[in-house]
Amino acid sequence: MALFEFNGMRPRVDASAYVHPSAVVIGDVTIGANCYIGPHASLRGDFGSIVIEEGSNVQDNCTLHVGIRETCWLGVNSHIGHGAVVHGARLEPDVMIGMNAVVMDGVVIGRQTIVAACAFVKAGWEVPAAVLVAGVPGRVVRRLDEAEIAGKAEGTRLYQQLARDCLRTMREVEGETR
């Protein structure tokens, strides 16, 4: 993993978290227990701070950043899909941000909410709990049912297991030619 001190602030990564070697983590970033940070993720705590709570995952090619003296906060069991951007938002526990979605500054996403792939969540919006947000700009489409909430929780558990498996078994190897 590429960890960089910036302006005297060093990233803090729990020993049980997995951060892929190609991920870049800069400055005031805290990564909690049992988190997974995927390949090519960029977590820039240079202008403000980033907090990623226990059991969360930030998948391949995601960007987390924040405005000056602000905090980007991912609550317990946050699930950030491939290529998503979360900029200065607060995610309550058990939220899922879909692939290539964008969540802007000052947004608060209520617990157990799912933001659909490719959605755009405009700055300053307080999104209710347990809803599906979709579209550009994002809007509440409907309430989530128990099966959808359970499905999201299972997906997050799979990423928590992936973090454990990566810590235990992932090793860089030389490629084979045939």
Side-chain angles (χ1 to χ4, degrees):
M1 78 185 93
L3 302 177
F4 296 94
E5 180 176 324
F6 180 78
N7 274 345
M9 298 300 299
R10 288 184 168 200
R12 294 159 307 285
V13 180
D14 188 275
S16 66
Y18 175 77
V19 179
H20 190 274
S22 69
V24 177
V25 183
I26 300 169
D28 190 3
V29 178
T30 302
I31 300 172
N34 304 307
C35 288
Y36 172 89
I37 309 299
H40 305 290
S42 175
L43 286 61
R44 286 183 42 216
D46 45 14
F47 294 154
S49 61
I50 297 172
V51 176
I52 303 172
E53 290 196 25
E54 180 176 356
S56 295
N57 66 82
V58 178
Q59 298 170 20
D60 317 47
N61 302 310
C62 288
T63 300
L64 272 57
H65 194 233
V66 64
I68 296 170
R69 290 183 293 282
E70 299 293 329
T71 300
C72 181
W73 193 286
L74 276 56
V76 172
N77 297 329
S78 291
H79 189 105
I80 313 302
H82 310 286
V85 176
V86 179
H87 199 282
R90 179 180 183 88
L91 279 53
E92 297 298 327
D94 300 305
V95 164
M96 183 172 90
I97 306 300
M99 294 183 279
N100 292 309
V102 176
V103 180
M104 293 301 295
D105 298 278
V107 168
V108 177
I109 306 267
R111 69 181 305 119
Q112 297 181 320
T113 283
I114 295 176
V115 174
C118 298
F120 177 82
V121 182
K122 64 183 181 180
W125 188 20
E126 291 197 24
V127 180
V131 297
L132 174 63
V133 172
V136 178
R139 64 183 178 79
V140 173
V141 175
R142 62 180 169 76
R143 297 218 40 91
L144 294 174
D145 63 36
E146 291 302 316
E148 290 167 317
I149 292 169
K152 181 274 174 198
E154 179 57 26
T156 301
R157 280 191 291 277
L158 289 172
Y159 270 90
Q160 292 164 350
Q161 184 60 51
L162 179 60
R164 290 187 293 274
D165 292 345
C166 287
L167 285 170
R168 192 180 76 254
T169 70
M170 188 169 297
R171 304 288 176 263
E172 188 170 2
V173 297
E174 295 295 321
E176 292 182 28
T177 57
R178 294 183 186 223

